[in-house]
């Protein structure tokens, strides 16, 4: 029994070692920088940056629109007019070292095709690291009261 306890303690220490925590925080910092860059690209309607930072099969779903490919979203981009996109603290979960799910709340003001966007939403993004670069594969907004 004591041997089993010691093994569990040793394994736990290896999972939560300072180097592992530092590596994860560096990964998260890099990921959060990519998220900010992509958010700014959507605000500016910068198609080149959006194309380089999203997967060709990128899916984007919100109460105001649904896109099932990157190209469909880029074609409709002129219809998106954001005047405010303020995000809250982000929670990052790494199912694997090269994938991430990011959840956060945001306040949004703007229109899509002339219709007002939901003002308070919860957002879930999925990201994959490909060739050393974080790429968003999906984006979903859920309205909150």
């Amino acid at each position: 029994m004591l041997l089993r306890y010691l093994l569990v303690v040793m394994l736990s220490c290896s999972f939560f070692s300072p180097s592992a925590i530092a590596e994860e925080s560096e990964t998260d910092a890099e990921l959060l920088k990519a998220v900010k860059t992509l958010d700014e690209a959507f605000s500016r309607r910068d198609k080149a940056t959006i194309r380089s930072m999203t997967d060709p099969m990128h899916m984007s779903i919100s109460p105001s629109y649904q896109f099932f490919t990157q190209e469909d979203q880029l074609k409709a981009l002129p219809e998106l007019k954001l005047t405010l996109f303020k995000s809250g603290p982000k929670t990052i979960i790494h199912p694997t070292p090269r994938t991430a799910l990011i959840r956060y709340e945001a306040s949004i003001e703007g229109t899509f095709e002339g219709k007002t966007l939901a003002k308070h939403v919860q957002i879930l993004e999925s990201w994959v690291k490909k060739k050393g670069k974080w790429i968003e594969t999906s984006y979903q907004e859920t309205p909150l009261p």
Side-chain angles (χ1 to χ4, degrees):
M1 187 64 150
L2 180 60
L3 180 58
R4 185 179 289 169
Y5 175 77
L6 288 174
L7 284 173
V8 168
V9 169
M10 288 180 0
L11 283 173
S12 296
C13 289
S14 68
F15 286 125
F16 298 108
S17 70
S19 62
I21 293 168
E23 182 178 318
E24 183 173 300
S25 64
E26 287 175 27
T27 297
D28 288 352
E30 181 185 339
L31 177 58
L32 290 171
K33 183 178 177 184
V35 170
K36 182 179 180 189
T37 300
L38 187 57
D39 287 347
E40 290 170 353
F42 272 99
S43 291
R44 292 188 323 269
R45 292 183 261 169
D46 177 355
K47 287 184 179 184
T49 300
I50 294 168
R51 184 174 277 115
S52 73
M53 295 187 70
T54 59
D55 186 79
M57 296 306 296
H58 184 269
M59 185 181 301
S60 186
I61 298 175
S62 89
S64 303
Y65 54 78
Q66 294 183 13
F67 300 107
F68 299 103
T69 67
Q70 177 192 75
E71 282 306 311
D72 287 344
Q73 187 167 24
L74 291 172
K75 284 178 195 171
L77 194 57
E79 296 298 323
L80 177 64
K81 296 179 176 55
L82 291 173
T83 56
L84 173 73
F85 185 91
K86 183 178 179 187
S87 63
K90 294 174 174 59
T91 301
I92 301 172
I93 300 167
H94 291 277
T96 70
R98 293 180 26 177
T99 62
L101 297 172
I102 304 172
R103 186 183 75 211
Y104 58 98
E105 290 184 24
S107 297
I108 301 173
E109 290 181 11
T111 60
F112 180 74
E113 294 181 336
K115 296 176 187 156
T116 303
L117 298 173
K119 293 189 181 300
H120 184 212
V121 296
Q122 179 171 285
I123 296 173
L124 179 65
E125 301 176 359
S126 63
W127 290 75
V128 176
K129 195 166 193 179
K130 295 181 178 180
K131 298 180 183 177
K133 183 178 170 188
W134 284 104
I135 303 293
E136 187 179 75
T137 58
S138 69
Y139 174 93
Q140 180 177 342
E141 288 179 6
T142 303
L144 295 171

mmCIF file with all atom_site columns, all heavy atoms in Angstrom, residues 34-59:
data_model
loop_
_atom_site.group_PDB
_atom_site.id
_atom_site.type_symbol
_atom_site.label_atom_id
_atom_site.label_alt_id
_atom_site.label_comp_id
_atom_site.label_asym_id
_atom_site.label_entity_id
_atom_site.label_seq_id
_atom_site.pdbx_PDB_ins_code
_atom_site.Cartn_x
_atom_site.Cartn_y
_atom_site.Cartn_z
_atom_site.occupancy
_atom_site.B_iso_or_equiv
_atom_site.pdbx_formal_charge
_atom_site.auth_seq_id
_atom_site.auth_comp_id
_atom_site.auth_asym_id
_atom_site.auth_atom_id
_atom_site.pdbx_PDB_model_num
ATOM 1   N N   . ALA A 1 34 ? -2.473  34.660 -30.518 1.00 0.00 ? 34 ALA A N   1
ATOM 2   C CA  . ALA A 1 34 ? -3.129  34.291 -31.784 1.00 0.00 ? 34 ALA A CA  1
ATOM 3   C C   . ALA A 1 34 ? -4.613  34.658 -31.736 1.00 0.00 ? 34 ALA A C   1
ATOM 4   O O   . ALA A 1 34 ? -5.165  35.190 -32.714 1.00 0.00 ? 34 ALA A O   1
ATOM 5   C CB  . ALA A 1 34 ? -2.952  32.798 -32.055 1.00 0.00 ? 34 ALA A CB  1
ATOM 6   N N   . VAL A 1 35 ? -5.267  34.406 -30.606 1.00 0.00 ? 35 VAL A N   1
ATOM 7   C CA  . VAL A 1 35 ? -6.689  34.751 -30.454 1.00 0.00 ? 35 VAL A CA  1
ATOM 8   C C   . VAL A 1 35 ? -6.888  36.257 -30.638 1.00 0.00 ? 35 VAL A C   1
ATOM 9   O O   . VAL A 1 35 ? -7.783  36.691 -31.371 1.00 0.00 ? 35 VAL A O   1
ATOM 10  C CB  . VAL A 1 35 ? -7.227  34.292 -29.071 1.00 0.00 ? 35 VAL A CB  1
ATOM 11  C CG1 . VAL A 1 35 ? -8.608  34.857 -28.809 1.00 0.00 ? 35 VAL A CG1 1
ATOM 12  C CG2 . VAL A 1 35 ? -7.239  32.782 -28.982 1.00 0.00 ? 35 VAL A CG2 1
ATOM 13  N N   . LYS A 1 36 ? -6.042  37.046 -29.995 1.00 0.00 ? 36 LYS A N   1
ATOM 14  C CA  . LYS A 1 36 ? -6.154  38.506 -30.102 1.00 0.00 ? 36 LYS A CA  1
ATOM 15  C C   . LYS A 1 36 ? -5.935  38.968 -31.543 1.00 0.00 ? 36 LYS A C   1
ATOM 16  O O   . LYS A 1 36 ? -6.678  39.820 -32.051 1.00 0.00 ? 36 LYS A O   1
ATOM 17  C CB  . LYS A 1 36 ? -5.130  39.165 -29.175 1.00 0.00 ? 36 LYS A CB  1
ATOM 18  C CG  . LYS A 1 36 ? -5.209  40.670 -29.181 1.00 0.00 ? 36 LYS A CG  1
ATOM 19  C CD  . LYS A 1 36 ? -4.211  41.292 -28.232 1.00 0.00 ? 36 LYS A CD  1
ATOM 20  C CE  . LYS A 1 36 ? -4.362  42.809 -28.298 1.00 0.00 ? 36 LYS A CE  1
ATOM 21  N NZ  . LYS A 1 36 ? -3.305  43.492 -27.584 1.00 0.00 ? 36 LYS A NZ  1
ATOM 22  N N   . THR A 1 37 ? -4.947  38.398 -32.203 1.00 0.00 ? 37 THR A N   1
ATOM 23  C CA  . THR A 1 37 ? -4.667  38.771 -33.598 1.00 0.00 ? 37 THR A CA  1
ATOM 24  C C   . THR A 1 37 ? -5.861  38.453 -34.493 1.00 0.00 ? 37 THR A C   1
ATOM 25  O O   . THR A 1 37 ? -6.248  39.272 -35.330 1.00 0.00 ? 37 THR A O   1
ATOM 26  C CB  . THR A 1 37 ? -3.405  38.033 -34.103 1.00 0.00 ? 37 THR A CB  1
ATOM 27  O OG1 . THR A 1 37 ? -2.301  38.405 -33.283 1.00 0.00 ? 37 THR A OG1 1
ATOM 28  C CG2 . THR A 1 37 ? -3.102  38.370 -35.548 1.00 0.00 ? 37 THR A CG2 1
ATOM 29  N N   . LEU A 1 38 ? -6.465  37.282 -34.304 1.00 0.00 ? 38 LEU A N   1
ATOM 30  C CA  . LEU A 1 38 ? -7.614  36.904 -35.129 1.00 0.00 ? 38 LEU A CA  1
ATOM 31  C C   . LEU A 1 38 ? -8.823  37.783 -34.813 1.00 0.00 ? 38 LEU A C   1
ATOM 32  O O   . LEU A 1 38 ? -9.538  38.212 -35.727 1.00 0.00 ? 38 LEU A O   1
ATOM 33  C CB  . LEU A 1 38 ? -7.948  35.426 -34.941 1.00 0.00 ? 38 LEU A CB  1
ATOM 34  C CG  . LEU A 1 38 ? -9.027  34.874 -35.862 1.00 0.00 ? 38 LEU A CG  1
ATOM 35  C CD1 . LEU A 1 38 ? -8.671  35.079 -37.342 1.00 0.00 ? 38 LEU A CD1 1
ATOM 36  C CD2 . LEU A 1 38 ? -9.279  33.405 -35.571 1.00 0.00 ? 38 LEU A CD2 1
ATOM 37  N N   . ASP A 1 39 ? -9.061  38.075 -33.534 1.00 0.00 ? 39 ASP A N   1
ATOM 38  C CA  . ASP A 1 39 ? -10.174 38.973 -33.171 1.00 0.00 ? 39 ASP A CA  1
ATOM 39  C C   . ASP A 1 39 ? -10.012 40.332 -33.843 1.00 0.00 ? 39 ASP A C   1
ATOM 40  O O   . ASP A 1 39 ? -10.967 40.890 -34.390 1.00 0.00 ? 39 ASP A O   1
ATOM 41  C CB  . ASP A 1 39 ? -10.255 39.159 -31.658 1.00 0.00 ? 39 ASP A CB  1
ATOM 42  C CG  . ASP A 1 39 ? -10.781 37.936 -30.919 1.00 0.00 ? 39 ASP A CG  1
ATOM 43  O OD1 . ASP A 1 39 ? -11.323 37.020 -31.581 1.00 0.00 ? 39 ASP A OD1 1
ATOM 44  O OD2 . ASP A 1 39 ? -10.636 37.897 -29.676 1.00 0.00 ? 39 ASP A OD2 1
ATOM 45  N N   . GLU A 1 40 ? -8.789  40.861 -33.815 1.00 0.00 ? 40 GLU A N   1
ATOM 46  C CA  . GLU A 1 40 ? -8.526  42.157 -34.452 1.00 0.00 ? 40 GLU A CA  1
ATOM 47  C C   . GLU A 1 40 ? -8.714  42.074 -35.968 1.00 0.00 ? 40 GLU A C   1
ATOM 48  O O   . GLU A 1 40 ? -9.217  43.018 -36.584 1.00 0.00 ? 40 GLU A O   1
ATOM 49  C CB  . GLU A 1 40 ? -7.114  42.633 -34.102 1.00 0.00 ? 40 GLU A CB  1
ATOM 50  C CG  . GLU A 1 40 ? -6.972  43.044 -32.652 1.00 0.00 ? 40 GLU A CG  1
ATOM 51  C CD  . GLU A 1 40 ? -5.530  43.281 -32.220 1.00 0.00 ? 40 GLU A CD  1
ATOM 52  O OE1 . GLU A 1 40 ? -4.586  43.011 -33.010 1.00 0.00 ? 40 GLU A OE1 1
ATOM 53  O OE2 . GLU A 1 40 ? -5.342  43.738 -31.077 1.00 0.00 ? 40 GLU A OE2 1
ATOM 54  N N   . ALA A 1 41 ? -8.338  40.954 -36.558 1.00 0.00 ? 41 ALA A N   1
ATOM 55  C CA  . ALA A 1 41 ? -8.508  40.782 -38.002 1.00 0.00 ? 41 ALA A CA  1
ATOM 56  C C   . ALA A 1 41 ? -9.992  40.810 -38.371 1.00 0.00 ? 41 ALA A C   1
ATOM 57  O O   . ALA A 1 41 ? -10.371 41.407 -39.391 1.00 0.00 ? 41 ALA A O   1
ATOM 58  C CB  . ALA A 1 41 ? -7.862  39.476 -38.463 1.00 0.00 ? 41 ALA A CB  1
ATOM 59  N N   . PHE A 1 42 ? -10.839 40.191 -37.559 1.00 0.00 ? 42 PHE A N   1
ATOM 60  C CA  . PHE A 1 42 ? -12.277 40.245 -37.836 1.00 0.00 ? 42 PHE A CA  1
ATOM 61  C C   . PHE A 1 42 ? -12.810 41.662 -37.666 1.00 0.00 ? 42 PHE A C   1
ATOM 62  O O   . PHE A 1 42 ? -13.635 42.118 -38.459 1.00 0.00 ? 42 PHE A O   1
ATOM 63  C CB  . PHE A 1 42 ? -13.052 39.248 -36.966 1.00 0.00 ? 42 PHE A CB  1
ATOM 64  C CG  . PHE A 1 42 ? -13.162 37.886 -37.578 1.00 0.00 ? 42 PHE A CG  1
ATOM 65  C CD1 . PHE A 1 42 ? -12.313 36.872 -37.186 1.00 0.00 ? 42 PHE A CD1 1
ATOM 66  C CD2 . PHE A 1 42 ? -14.092 37.624 -38.571 1.00 0.00 ? 42 PHE A CD2 1
ATOM 67  C CE1 . PHE A 1 42 ? -12.400 35.617 -37.763 1.00 0.00 ? 42 PHE A CE1 1
ATOM 68  C CE2 . PHE A 1 42 ? -14.192 36.376 -39.169 1.00 0.00 ? 42 PHE A CE2 1
ATOM 69  C CZ  . PHE A 1 42 ? -13.343 35.364 -38.760 1.00 0.00 ? 42 PHE A CZ  1
ATOM 70  N N   . SER A 1 43 ? -12.341 42.369 -36.662 1.00 0.00 ? 43 SER A N   1
ATOM 71  C CA  . SER A 1 43 ? -12.787 43.751 -36.467 1.00 0.00 ? 43 SER A CA  1
ATOM 72  C C   . SER A 1 43 ? -12.401 44.636 -37.650 1.00 0.00 ? 43 SER A C   1
ATOM 73  O O   . SER A 1 43 ? -13.157 45.522 -38.039 1.00 0.00 ? 43 SER A O   1
ATOM 74  C CB  . SER A 1 43 ? -12.187 44.328 -35.176 1.00 0.00 ? 43 SER A CB  1
ATOM 75  O OG  . SER A 1 43 ? -12.752 43.687 -34.059 1.00 0.00 ? 43 SER A OG  1
ATOM 76  N N   . ARG A 1 44 ? -11.232 44.389 -38.226 1.00 0.00 ? 44 ARG A N   1
ATOM 77  C CA  . ARG A 1 44 ? -10.749 45.171 -39.377 1.00 0.00 ? 44 ARG A CA  1
ATOM 78  C C   . ARG A 1 44 ? -11.201 44.582 -40.723 1.00 0.00 ? 44 ARG A C   1
ATOM 79  O O   . ARG A 1 44 ? -10.924 45.141 -41.767 1.00 0.00 ? 44 ARG A O   1
ATOM 80  C CB  . ARG A 1 44 ? -9.219  45.238 -39.367 1.00 0.00 ? 44 ARG A CB  1
ATOM 81  C CG  . ARG A 1 44 ? -8.624  46.045 -38.254 1.00 0.00 ? 44 ARG A CG  1
ATOM 82  C CD  . ARG A 1 44 ? -7.114  46.221 -38.416 1.00 0.00 ? 44 ARG A CD  1
ATOM 83  N NE  . ARG A 1 44 ? -6.414  45.056 -38.948 1.00 0.00 ? 44 ARG A NE  1
ATOM 84  C CZ  . ARG A 1 44 ? -5.877  44.074 -38.218 1.00 0.00 ? 44 ARG A CZ  1
ATOM 85  N NH1 . ARG A 1 44 ? -5.971  44.100 -36.917 1.00 0.00 ? 44 ARG A NH1 1
ATOM 86  N NH2 . ARG A 1 44 ? -5.263  43.070 -38.792 1.00 0.00 ? 44 ARG A NH2 1
ATOM 87  N N   . ARG A 1 45 ? -11.824 43.405 -40.656 1.00 0.00 ? 45 ARG A N   1
ATOM 88  C CA  . ARG A 1 45 ? -12.231 42.663 -41.864 1.00 0.00 ? 45 ARG A CA  1
ATOM 89  C C   . ARG A 1 45 ? -11.022 42.377 -42.761 1.00 0.00 ? 45 ARG A C   1
ATOM 90  O O   . ARG A 1 45 ? -11.065 42.539 -43.970 1.00 0.00 ? 45 ARG A O   1
ATOM 91  C CB  . ARG A 1 45 ? -13.330 43.400 -42.618 1.00 0.00 ? 45 ARG A CB  1
ATOM 92  C CG  . ARG A 1 45 ? -14.615 43.411 -41.810 1.00 0.00 ? 45 ARG A CG  1
ATOM 93  C CD  . ARG A 1 45 ? -15.724 44.056 -42.549 1.00 0.00 ? 45 ARG A CD  1
ATOM 94  N NE  . ARG A 1 45 ? -15.817 45.424 -42.033 1.00 0.00 ? 45 ARG A NE  1
ATOM 95  C CZ  . ARG A 1 45 ? -16.546 46.356 -42.581 1.00 0.00 ? 45 ARG A CZ  1
ATOM 96  N NH1 . ARG A 1 45 ? -17.248 46.105 -43.642 1.00 0.00 ? 45 ARG A NH1 1
ATOM 97  N NH2 . ARG A 1 45 ? -16.590 47.554 -42.065 1.00 0.00 ? 45 ARG A NH2 1
ATOM 98  N N   . ASP A 1 46 ? -9.953  41.907 -42.135 1.00 0.00 ? 46 ASP A N   1
ATOM 99  C CA  . ASP A 1 46 ? -8.688  41.602 -42.789 1.00 0.00 ? 46 ASP A CA  1
ATOM 100 C C   . ASP A 1 46 ? -8.706  40.154 -43.298 1.00 0.00 ? 46 ASP A C   1
ATOM 101 O O   . ASP A 1 46 ? -8.366  39.216 -42.571 1.00 0.00 ? 46 ASP A O   1
ATOM 102 C CB  . ASP A 1 46 ? -7.555  41.822 -41.782 1.00 0.00 ? 46 ASP A CB  1
ATOM 103 C CG  . ASP A 1 46 ? -6.187  41.465 -42.304 1.00 0.00 ? 46 ASP A CG  1
ATOM 104 O OD1 . ASP A 1 46 ? -6.065  40.940 -43.428 1.00 0.00 ? 46 ASP A OD1 1
ATOM 105 O OD2 . ASP A 1 46 ? -5.213  41.703 -41.561 1.00 0.00 ? 46 ASP A OD2 1
ATOM 106 N N   . LYS A 1 47 ? -9.117  39.975 -44.546 1.00 0.00 ? 47 LYS A N   1
ATOM 107 C CA  . LYS A 1 47 ? -9.294  38.633 -45.107 1.00 0.00 ? 47 LYS A CA  1
ATOM 108 C C   . LYS A 1 47 ? -8.006  37.812 -45.142 1.00 0.00 ? 47 LYS A C   1
ATOM 109 O O   . LYS A 1 47 ? -8.025  36.613 -44.887 1.00 0.00 ? 47 LYS A O   1
ATOM 110 C CB  . LYS A 1 47 ? -9.881  38.718 -46.518 1.00 0.00 ? 47 LYS A CB  1
ATOM 111 C CG  . LYS A 1 47 ? -11.328 39.111 -46.541 1.00 0.00 ? 47 LYS A CG  1
ATOM 112 C CD  . LYS A 1 47 ? -11.873 39.070 -47.954 1.00 0.00 ? 47 LYS A CD  1
ATOM 113 C CE  . LYS A 1 47 ? -13.332 39.437 -47.976 1.00 0.00 ? 47 LYS A CE  1
ATOM 114 N NZ  . LYS A 1 47 ? -13.908 39.300 -49.326 1.00 0.00 ? 47 LYS A NZ  1
ATOM 115 N N   . ALA A 1 48 ? -6.890  38.449 -45.442 1.00 0.00 ? 48 ALA A N   1
ATOM 116 C CA  . ALA A 1 48 ? -5.624  37.704 -45.541 1.00 0.00 ? 48 ALA A CA  1
ATOM 117 C C   . ALA A 1 48 ? -5.244  37.087 -44.190 1.00 0.00 ? 48 ALA A C   1
ATOM 118 O O   . ALA A 1 48 ? -4.858  35.910 -44.125 1.00 0.00 ? 48 ALA A O   1
ATOM 119 C CB  . ALA A 1 48 ? -4.512  38.614 -46.045 1.00 0.00 ? 48 ALA A CB  1
ATOM 120 N N   . THR A 1 49 ? -5.365  37.864 -43.126 1.00 0.00 ? 49 THR A N   1
ATOM 121 C CA  . THR A 1 49 ? -5.031  37.341 -41.799 1.00 0.00 ? 49 THR A CA  1
ATOM 122 C C   . THR A 1 49 ? -6.021  36.267 -41.381 1.00 0.00 ? 49 THR A C   1
ATOM 123 O O   . THR A 1 49 ? -5.626  35.214 -40.860 1.00 0.00 ? 49 THR A O   1
ATOM 124 C CB  . THR A 1 49 ? -4.994  38.475 -40.754 1.00 0.00 ? 49 THR A CB  1
ATOM 125 O OG1 . THR A 1 49 ? -3.997  39.418 -41.149 1.00 0.00 ? 49 THR A OG1 1
ATOM 126 C CG2 . THR A 1 49 ? -4.678  37.954 -39.372 1.00 0.00 ? 49 THR A CG2 1
ATOM 127 N N   . ILE A 1 50 ? -7.299  36.493 -41.623 1.00 0.00 ? 50 ILE A N   1
ATOM 128 C CA  . ILE A 1 50 ? -8.314  35.488 -41.285 1.00 0.00 ? 50 ILE A CA  1
ATOM 129 C C   . ILE A 1 50 ? -8.046  34.195 -42.033 1.00 0.00 ? 50 ILE A C   1
ATOM 130 O O   . ILE A 1 50 ? -8.079  33.105 -41.450 1.00 0.00 ? 50 ILE A O   1
ATOM 131 C CB  . ILE A 1 50 ? -9.733  36.019 -41.575 1.00 0.00 ? 50 ILE A CB  1
ATOM 132 C CG1 . ILE A 1 50 ? -10.051 37.193 -40.648 1.00 0.00 ? 50 ILE A CG1 1
ATOM 133 C CG2 . ILE A 1 50 ? -10.765 34.902 -41.424 1.00 0.00 ? 50 ILE A CG2 1
ATOM 134 C CD1 . ILE A 1 50 ? -11.294 37.976 -41.040 1.00 0.00 ? 50 ILE A CD1 1
ATOM 135 N N   . ARG A 1 51 ? -7.737  34.284 -43.304 1.00 0.00 ? 51 ARG A N   1
ATOM 136 C CA  . ARG A 1 51 ? -7.459  33.096 -44.128 1.00 0.00 ? 51 ARG A CA  1
ATOM 137 C C   . ARG A 1 51 ? -6.248  32.337 -43.570 1.00 0.00 ? 51 ARG A C   1
ATOM 138 O O   . ARG A 1 51 ? -6.252  31.112 -43.502 1.00 0.00 ? 51 ARG A O   1
ATOM 139 C CB  . ARG A 1 51 ? -7.230  33.484 -45.582 1.00 0.00 ? 51 ARG A CB  1
ATOM 140 C CG  . ARG A 1 51 ? -7.032  32.270 -46.485 1.00 0.00 ? 51 ARG A CG  1
ATOM 141 C CD  . ARG A 1 51 ? -6.946  32.652 -47.953 1.00 0.00 ? 51 ARG A CD  1
ATOM 142 N NE  . ARG A 1 51 ? -8.303  32.784 -48.478 1.00 0.00 ? 51 ARG A NE  1
ATOM 143 C CZ  . ARG A 1 51 ? -8.838  33.925 -48.926 1.00 0.00 ? 51 ARG A CZ  1
ATOM 144 N NH1 . ARG A 1 51 ? -8.139  35.028 -48.932 1.00 0.00 ? 51 ARG A NH1 1
ATOM 145 N NH2 . ARG A 1 51 ? -10.059 33.949 -49.380 1.00 0.00 ? 51 ARG A NH2 1
ATOM 146 N N   . SER A 1 52 ? -5.216  33.070 -43.141 1.00 0.00 ? 52 SER A N   1
ATOM 147 C CA  . SER A 1 52 ? -3.997  32.399 -42.666 1.00 0.00 ? 52 SER A CA  1
ATOM 148 C C   . SER A 1 52 ? -4.152  31.811 -41.263 1.00 0.00 ? 52 SER A C   1
ATOM 149 O O   . SER A 1 52 ? -3.390  30.937 -40.873 1.00 0.00 ? 52 SER A O   1
ATOM 150 C CB  . SER A 1 52 ? -2.807  33.358 -42.691 1.00 0.00 ? 52 SER A CB  1
ATOM 151 O OG  . SER A 1 52 ? -2.905  34.312 -41.653 1.00 0.00 ? 52 SER A OG  1
ATOM 152 N N   . MET A 1 53 ? -5.159  32.283 -40.507 1.00 0.00 ? 53 MET A N   1
ATOM 153 C CA  . MET A 1 53 ? -5.291  31.842 -39.120 1.00 0.00 ? 53 MET A CA  1
ATOM 154 C C   . MET A 1 53 ? -6.512  30.954 -38.861 1.00 0.00 ? 53 MET A C   1
ATOM 155 O O   . MET A 1 53 ? -6.780  30.600 -37.714 1.00 0.00 ? 53 MET A O   1
ATOM 156 C CB  . MET A 1 53 ? -5.350  33.054 -38.187 1.00 0.00 ? 53 MET A CB  1
ATOM 157 C CG  . MET A 1 53 ? -4.060  33.850 -38.175 1.00 0.00 ? 53 MET A CG  1
ATOM 158 S SD  . MET A 1 53 ? -4.079  35.149 -36.934 1.00 0.00 ? 53 MET A SD  1
ATOM 159 C CE  . MET A 1 53 ? -3.993  34.149 -35.436 1.00 0.00 ? 53 MET A CE  1
ATOM 160 N N   . THR A 1 54 ? -7.248  30.604 -39.922 1.00 0.00 ? 54 THR A N   1
ATOM 161 C CA  . THR A 1 54 ? -8.380  29.693 -39.763 1.00 0.00 ? 54 THR A CA  1
ATOM 162 C C   . THR A 1 54 ? -8.226  28.522 -40.718 1.00 0.00 ? 54 THR A C   1
ATOM 163 O O   . THR A 1 54 ? -7.620  28.635 -41.783 1.00 0.00 ? 54 THR A O   1
ATOM 164 C CB  . THR A 1 54 ? -9.735  30.390 -40.016 1.00 0.00 ? 54 THR A CB  1
ATOM 165 O OG1 . THR A 1 54 ? -9.761  30.929 -41.339 1.00 0.00 ? 54 THR A OG1 1
ATOM 166 C CG2 . THR A 1 54 ? -9.999  31.484 -39.002 1.00 0.00 ? 54 THR A CG2 1
ATOM 167 N N   . ASP A 1 55 ? -8.797  27.413 -40.337 1.00 0.00 ? 55 ASP A N   1
ATOM 168 C CA  . ASP A 1 55 ? -8.756  26.202 -41.145 1.00 0.00 ? 55 ASP A CA  1
ATOM 169 C C   . ASP A 1 55 ? -9.698  26.351 -42.336 1.00 0.00 ? 55 ASP A C   1
ATOM 170 O O   . ASP A 1 55 ? -10.749 26.998 -42.217 1.00 0.00 ? 55 ASP A O   1
ATOM 171 C CB  . ASP A 1 55 ? -9.210  25.024 -40.267 1.00 0.00 ? 55 ASP A CB  1
ATOM 172 C CG  . ASP A 1 55 ? -9.060  23.703 -40.968 1.00 0.00 ? 55 ASP A CG  1
ATOM 173 O OD1 . ASP A 1 55 ? -7.923  23.208 -41.017 1.00 0.00 ? 55 ASP A OD1 1
ATOM 174 O OD2 . ASP A 1 55 ? -10.088 23.173 -41.457 1.00 0.00 ? 55 ASP A OD2 1
ATOM 175 N N   . PRO A 1 56 ? -9.372  25.780 -43.496 1.00 0.00 ? 56 PRO A N   1
ATOM 176 C CA  . PRO A 1 56 ? -10.290 25.865 -44.646 1.00 0.00 ? 56 PRO A CA  1
ATOM 177 C C   . PRO A 1 56 ? -11.700 25.332 -44.341 1.00 0.00 ? 56 PRO A C   1
ATOM 178 O O   . PRO A 1 56 ? -12.677 25.804 -44.892 1.00 0.00 ? 56 PRO A O   1
ATOM 179 C CB  . PRO A 1 56 ? -9.597  25.020 -45.718 1.00 0.00 ? 56 PRO A CB  1
ATOM 180 C CG  . PRO A 1 56 ? -8.151  25.081 -45.362 1.00 0.00 ? 56 PRO A CG  1
ATOM 181 C CD  . PRO A 1 56 ? -8.118  25.129 -43.854 1.00 0.00 ? 56 PRO A CD  1
ATOM 182 N N   . MET A 1 57 ? -11.798 24.368 -43.430 1.00 0.00 ? 57 MET A N   1
ATOM 183 C CA  . MET A 1 57 ? -13.106 23.822 -43.054 1.00 0.00 ? 57 MET A CA  1
ATOM 184 C C   . MET A 1 57 ? -13.621 24.479 -41.774 1.00 0.00 ? 57 MET A C   1
ATOM 185 O O   . MET A 1 57 ? -14.436 23.903 -41.056 1.00 0.00 ? 57 MET A O   1
ATOM 186 C CB  . MET A 1 57 ? -13.016 22.302 -42.883 1.00 0.00 ? 57 MET A CB  1
ATOM 187 C CG  . MET A 1 57 ? -12.666 21.578 -44.175 1.00 0.00 ? 57 MET A CG  1
ATOM 188 S SD  . MET A 1 57 ? -13.764 21.974 -45.553 1.00 0.00 ? 57 MET A SD  1
ATOM 189 C CE  . MET A 1 57 ? -15.305 21.343 -44.969 1.00 0.00 ? 57 MET A CE  1
ATOM 190 N N   . HIS A 1 58 ? -13.173 25.694 -41.514 1.00 0.00 ? 58 HIS A N   1
ATOM 191 C CA  . HIS A 1 58 ? -13.561 26.441 -40.315 1.00 0.00 ? 58 HIS A CA  1
ATOM 192 C C   . HIS A 1 58 ? -15.080 26.582 -40.241 1.00 0.00 ? 58 HIS A C   1
ATOM 193 O O   . HIS A 1 58 ? -15.730 26.926 -41.220 1.00 0.00 ? 58 HIS A O   1
ATOM 194 C CB  . HIS A 1 58 ? -12.919 27.832 -40.361 1.00 0.00 ? 58 HIS A CB  1
ATOM 195 C CG  . HIS A 1 58 ? -13.170 28.664 -39.153 1.00 0.00 ? 58 HIS A CG  1
ATOM 196 N ND1 . HIS A 1 58 ? -14.235 29.524 -39.058 1.00 0.00 ? 58 HIS A ND1 1
ATOM 197 C CD2 . HIS A 1 58 ? -12.491 28.761 -37.984 1.00 0.00 ? 58 HIS A CD2 1
ATOM 198 C CE1 . HIS A 1 58 ? -14.195 30.126 -37.884 1.00 0.00 ? 58 HIS A CE1 1
ATOM 199 N NE2 . HIS A 1 58 ? -13.147 29.690 -37.214 1.00 0.00 ? 58 HIS A NE2 1
ATOM 200 N N   . MET A 1 59 ? -15.621 26.303 -39.072 1.00 0.00 ? 59 MET A N   1
ATOM 201 C CA  . MET A 1 59 ? -17.057 26.433 -38.842 1.00 0.00 ? 59 MET A CA  1
ATOM 202 C C   . MET A 1 59 ? -17.281 27.573 -37.862 1.00 0.00 ? 59 MET A C   1
ATOM 203 O O   . MET A 1 59 ? -16.609 27.652 -36.840 1.00 0.00 ? 59 MET A O   1
ATOM 204 C CB  . MET A 1 59 ? -17.602 25.126 -38.262 1.00 0.00 ? 59 MET A CB  1
ATOM 205 C CG  . MET A 1 59 ? -19.097 25.123 -38.105 1.00 0.00 ? 59 MET A CG  1
ATOM 206 S SD  . MET A 1 59 ? -19.723 23.579 -37.387 1.00 0.00 ? 59 MET A SD  1
ATOM 207 C CE  . MET A 1 59 ? -19.166 22.379 -38.552 1.00 0.00 ? 59 MET A CE  1
#
